[in-house]
């Protein structure tokens, strides 16, 4: 049975969940069999939604289509400055609409050079004032590490046009692969697209395919009590107002939002973590070439850093010209005992060097070699 938006809401009303908005003062939840909804909440939610997480199975020749399927629904907000999350909204016996989009063919990006260096620019007042914890830069760092790209810089800046312009110009000039996170939603403080357009002297243009994908994603959204007014439609269209001459890539078939590439190396992504990760994870397949992978080896010791510092200084000086990096990180065991993890990092071609260094340091610090940075002590009492 296909459920319309209202019967679907009522059908789910027995499943407890909470929806919260950071700026608009709304709180909405289902905690019993009683259905509760409001037009103002519905319109706000409607204007903020970016994607429906759903099953995959589409070819480029297929049109955007809805199918009935039993699946979880993850509705996520479009703005870094605001989070609207219906988290783990599940109803095992109901049928859900499955939204599918075509993706950009891999061949269209096959001739792009493989980047050697990378930088991440996180944009958002909410990061700087402590309201939101940034996790996107860490995800991007792991993405680069796995591809063999040398991550060189992470910066966090406010939602200010001049700050965005200065930072994006500088990073684009100095690094091969620049990713921005945040500021591409429909509200007044989402200024990343216009600021980056201005940084590279580009006009802003409505991108037809992005508008079509957005319209399809909104078509069967739930909780909508009436059609959105002109102001909501105009705000929503801001998310498809892109810098001219951009390369627009759709890597994920479950997300209508693109990765917008400006000046050949600036990749504009949304700040919502589920969208950022969903887009970036799928973007890896467009890098047909791979960089030389990194290798890490760890030595774990229970000697204090002050004791092992002379050993590490001597080792680092010996391999400084080989591109090997040595670091030490104090940690604590689960029962309160302190220990130190020494890290050795280099490219694959230097793996033999790392192995010899690790043996040397382990012997001099009464430690042992491990490939797991979160390795627990060999015995529960913290002794080696």
């Amino acid at each position: 049975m296909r459920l319309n938006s209202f019967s679907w809401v009522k059908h789910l009303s027995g499943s407890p969940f909470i929806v919260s908005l950071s700026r608009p003062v709304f709180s909405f939840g289902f905690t019993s069999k009683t259905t509760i909804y409001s037009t103002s909440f519905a319109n706000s939610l409607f204007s903020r939604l970016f994607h429906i997480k759903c099953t995959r199975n589409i070819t480029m020749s297929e049109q955007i289509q809805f199918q009935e399927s039993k699946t979880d629904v993850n509705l996520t907000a479009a703005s870094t400055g605001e989070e609207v999350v219906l988290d783990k909204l599940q109803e095992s016996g109901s049928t859900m609409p499955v939204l599918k989009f075509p993706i950009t063919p891999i061949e269209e990006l096959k001739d792009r050079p493989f980047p050697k260096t990378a930088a991440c620019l996180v944009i958002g007042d909410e990061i700087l004032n402590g309201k939101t914890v940034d996790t996107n830069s860490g995800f991007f760092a792991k993405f680069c590490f796995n591809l063999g790209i040398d991550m060189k810089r992470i910066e966090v800046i406010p939602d200010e046009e001049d700050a965005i312009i200065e930072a994006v110009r500088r990073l684009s000039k100095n690094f091969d692969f620049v990713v921005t996170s945040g500021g591409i939603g429909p509200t007044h403080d989402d200024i990343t697209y216009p600021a980056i357009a201005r940084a590279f002297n580009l006009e802003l243009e409505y991108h037809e395919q992005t508008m079509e994908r957005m319209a399809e994603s909104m078509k069967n959204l739930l909780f909508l009590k009436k059609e959105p007014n002109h102001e909501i439609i105009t705000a929503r269209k801001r998310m498809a107002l892109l810098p001219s001459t951009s390369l627009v890539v759709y890597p994920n078939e479950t997300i209508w939002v693109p990765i917008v590439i400006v000046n050949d190396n600036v990749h504009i992504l949304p700040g919502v973590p589920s969208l950022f990760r969903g887009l970036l994870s799928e973007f890896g397949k467009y890098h047909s070439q791979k960089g030389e992978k990194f290798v890490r080896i760890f030595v774990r010791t229970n000697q204090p850093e002050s004791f092992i510092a002379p050993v590490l200084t001597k080792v680092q000086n010996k391999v400084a010209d080989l591109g090997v990096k040595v670091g030490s990180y104090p940690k604590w065991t689960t029962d309160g005992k302190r220990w130190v993890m020494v890290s050795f990092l280099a490219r694959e071609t230097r793996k033999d060097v790392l192995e010899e260094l690790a043996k040397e340091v382990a012997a001099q610090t009464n430690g042992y070699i491990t490939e797991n940075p979160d390795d627990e002590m060999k015995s529960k009492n913290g002794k080696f």
Side-chain angles (χ1 to χ4, degrees):
M1 175 180 67
R2 179 180 293 277
L3 303 175
N4 61 38
S5 58
F6 299 116
S7 62
W8 195 83
V9 170
K10 293 178 182 178
H11 188 65
L12 289 175
S13 62
S15 300
F17 66 97
I18 298 296
V19 178
S20 64
L21 286 78
S22 58
R23 278 200 295 268
V25 186
F26 295 121
S27 180
F28 183 62
F30 293 124
T31 57
S32 69
K33 291 294 181 181
T34 303
T35 301
I36 306 171
Y37 48 80
S38 69
T39 303
S40 57
F41 171 82
N43 285 340
S44 178
L45 178 62
F46 185 93
S47 67
R48 297 263 170 209
L49 296 175
F50 251 90
H51 79 294
I52 298 178
K53 183 179 180 182
C54 53
T55 59
R56 302 176 178 178
N57 184 18
I58 191 169
T59 64
M60 286 300 295
S61 61
E62 291 177 316
Q63 294 181 346
I64 297 170
Q65 53 185 292
F66 288 89
Q67 298 178 357
E68 291 185 347
S69 172
K70 292 181 180 179
T71 183
D72 296 343
V73 177
N74 179 8
L75 305 179
T76 309
S79 170
T80 303
E82 200 169 312
E83 290 184 349
V84 182
V85 179
L86 277 67
D87 191 24
K88 298 180 180 178
L89 179 59
Q90 299 179 348
E91 180 65 30
S92 60
S94 63
T95 58
M96 311 292 187
V98 175
L99 185 61
K100 298 178 178 180
F101 292 108
I103 65 171
T104 301
I106 294 176
E107 305 79 57
E108 291 189 9
L109 280 75
K110 66 179 181 180
D111 295 329
R112 289 174 58 82
F114 186 81
K116 294 181 179 180
T117 60
C120 185
L121 181 63
V122 181
I123 303 168
D125 292 338
E126 69 282 1
I127 304 296
L128 293 172
N129 62 32
K131 174 185 172 294
T132 302
V133 176
D134 167 51
T135 59
N136 291 342
S137 59
F139 184 85
F140 180 52
K142 291 179 180 178
F143 173 87
C144 291
F145 183 89
N146 291 334
L147 286 178
I149 302 171
D150 196 2
M151 181 79 164
K152 289 291 191 180
R153 189 71 51 86
I154 296 173
E155 293 188 19
V156 183
I157 61 174
D159 295 304
E160 297 175 4
E161 185 177 65
D162 289 344
I164 296 172
I165 291 173
E166 186 280 327
V168 77
R169 283 176 176 169
R170 172 170 42 81
L171 295 178
S172 179
K173 178 181 178 181
N174 294 329
F175 304 104
D176 301 328
F177 184 21
V178 178
V179 161
T180 72
S181 166
I184 65 169
T187 56
H188 68 283
D189 58 347
D190 292 311
I191 61 172
T192 297
Y193 284 147
I196 292 180
R198 183 180 171 192
F200 299 107
N201 299 313
L202 301 173
E203 300 293 328
L204 287 170
E205 298 177 350
Y206 286 110
H207 191 261
E208 190 64 30
Q209 187 177 3
T210 300
M211 292 182 66
E212 291 173 358
R213 291 167 68 101
M214 177 170 56
E216 286 293 336
S217 73
M218 303 293 180
K219 187 179 296 182
N220 278 21
L221 283 181
L222 312 174
F223 309 107
L224 183 63
K225 193 170 182 179
K226 67 178 183 179
E227 287 297 316
N229 58 33
H230 175 72
E231 290 182 347
I232 291 177
I233 293 174
T234 301
R236 187 188 307 151
K237 288 171 64 177
R238 281 170 51 88
M239 297 183 286
L241 190 59
L242 311 181
S244 61
T245 71
S246 301
L247 176 59
V248 180
V249 180
Y250 303 99
N252 192 316
E253 62 188 5
T254 71
I255 302 176
W256 68 263
V257 189
I259 293 178
V260 179
I261 304 175
V262 178
N263 203 41
D264 291 331
N265 67 345
V266 177
H267 301 67
I268 307 173
L269 277 79
V272 176
S274 62
L275 298 178
F276 185 93
R277 296 183 180 203
L279 290 169
L280 195 60
S281 295
E282 296 298 324
F283 189 66
K285 61 178 172 279
Y286 294 94
H287 293 286
S288 56
Q289 303 176 24
K290 303 296 180 184
E292 184 184 343
K293 292 294 185 67
F294 290 103
V295 176
R296 260 196 296 233
I297 299 178
F298 302 93
V299 169
R300 180 165 181 157
T301 175
N302 61 355
Q303 293 187 1
E305 277 193 301
S306 56
F307 280 53
I308 67 173
V311 175
L312 300 185
T313 299
K314 182 179 178 180
V315 167
Q316 181 64 84
N317 291 338
K318 183 166 64 173
V319 297
D321 296 335
L322 300 178
V324 176
K325 294 184 179 180
V326 181
S328 64
Y329 309 94
K331 297 180 180 291
W332 284 260
T333 61
T334 54
D335 57 357
K337 293 183 174 60
R338 298 183 180 184
W339 54 280
V340 175
M341 186 69 81
V342 181
S343 168
F344 302 89
L345 173 67
R347 298 283 183 173
E348 279 182 321
T349 53
R350 301 294 185 186
K351 186 176 181 179
D352 55 340
V353 176
L354 292 190
E355 292 173 343
E356 290 301 316
L357 290 177
K359 290 178 182 178
E360 178 182 338
V361 171
Q364 295 184 50
T365 62
N366 192 29
Y368 66 91
I369 297 173
T370 177
E371 294 184 357
N372 180 10
D374 299 316
D375 191 21
E376 287 294 335
M377 300 297 283
K378 286 185 174 179
S379 63
K380 296 204 173 183
N381 64 7
K383 295 180 180 179
F384 289 112

